[in-house]
Amino acid sequence: MLTPDQAQDRAAAIVTRATAAGADAADAVYAADMSLDISVRLGALEDVGRSESADLGLRVFVGKRSASVSTSDLSDDSIGALVERAVAMAREAPEDAWAGLAPKERLMHGAPPLLDLDDGGEASPESLREVALAAEDAARAVAGVTNSEGGSASASRSIWALATSHGFAAAYATSAYGLSASVLAGATEGGGEMVRDYAFSSARHRRALEAPEVIGTKAGERAVARVNPGRLASGPMSVVYDPRVGSSLLGHLMGAISGSAITRKTSFLLEALGTQVFSDGVTVLDDPHRPHGLRSRPFDGEGLPVSPTAIIEHGMLEAWLLDSASARQLGLEPTGHAARGVAGAPGVSPSNVHMVAGKVPVSTLIEDIANGVFVTELIGMGVNGVTGDYSRGAAGFRIVDGQIAGPVAEFTIAGNLRDMYRNLTPADDLEFRYGTNVPTLRVEGMTIASG
């Protein structure tokens, strides 16, 4: 794999060739990845996967017309043909009044921030197999676990480079590690349904992964706790979201405030900028500079600098997520949230998003719920981004008189995201484990429909 400097040079070289071939402006992305995945099941090696890829993407502009092409054939002849084809395609494309590179005066200059996203290590198949087996063994050792879907471990390293014809060129490397276990519990001979659950850990640095014994034990205990689920009665109910699934509520928020949703008028928060969306006690932050962050980045997909952003502050919606095209259309400035792959134009994406922890423990959050549900799994994608209507299949545990009680399954939770956000209360148990992180969340006014 190339070094970041070499990747940057390769991206810059194709931009130079594009402008020489007649493009008025151009940008190019070079992306390379090397990964190793090991899976085990029932104490035996099940699969070993190794992959390496390198791709180059080019976007060219001829006036207000643009075209994008990509290739994994990095030979000189192939790149030459790619450049000629891209320019020819752009000349025939329809005009787009909002197309273009990011504003030159807004580009990141100087050295990118040091985020320590690459630990420089290499993982052997043997070492990954060892931790995958240890995670599965710990899960299978939990009393009540009856079968296993396996354990897995992975390691990867990626290089990402961007160059533009108006003066930007930079690259960075990232490493990533993962470890998981998934097991089943429940009757195997006497009838009844088997249930499954899992646990996993992801990190930029291998040393930051949770111990395999911790992951496995957590997966086993979660599965056993779900055995013999009951059914809920239908009706209005307080719903408490486990952090594993509560983060999805922020995912819906990010989609609703993306530039494309606002410019196309397909967002349930279309007129909400600068208004109260959540209760006063809710703040949501986006921090691309978090060291070792799973979604940290030194610059965005158009070469603009990135910085921490308050998306929700004391319940108020403070920002859209805008790339240059959507910002031009809205008469605003890009926010440093452009994201892109090797093909196509940039879109938008947040980085490390989290909801700030509340002030009450989980036990206090639920102590006054006489009849509610603690949701640990969501099923399906029944969310309407235009209206905010929300309906998801779910499973979890009953809350009775302020205490977590027996498991429940096959029910649907429904509401509208506008109402859900206003009636949401965070607990104080925030942990940074994923790309999007929330504490335990309580939402009032939900409707439960039992299956």
Side-chain angles (χ1 to χ4, degrees), residues 324-342:
S324 293
S326 59
R328 292 187 190 103
Q329 193 167 349
L330 295 169
L332 300 171
E333 292 294 320
T335 60
H337 288 96
R340 62 178 299 183
V342 295

Side-chain angles (χ1 to χ4, degrees), residues 318-401:
E318 301 290 347
W320 301 134
L321 307 181
L322 303 177
D323 60 354
S324 293
S326 59
R328 292 187 190 103
Q329 193 167 349
L330 295 169
L332 300 171
E333 292 294 320
T335 60
H337 288 96
R340 62 178 299 183
V342 295
V348 299
S349 175
S351 61
N352 305 293
V353 175
H354 75 275
M355 182 180 291
V356 174
K359 300 182 183 302
V360 298
V362 175
S363 59
T364 303
L365 190 74
I366 69 173
E367 67 181 3
D368 65 337
I369 299 177
N371 181 34
V373 62
F374 183 75
V375 175
T376 59
E377 182 180 22
L378 291 171
I379 305 162
M381 294 300 295
V383 179
N384 187 318
V386 179
T387 65
D389 289 337
Y390 179 97
S391 179
R392 303 285 305 270
F397 298 86
R398 194 188 311 272
I399 301 174
V400 179
D401 295 331

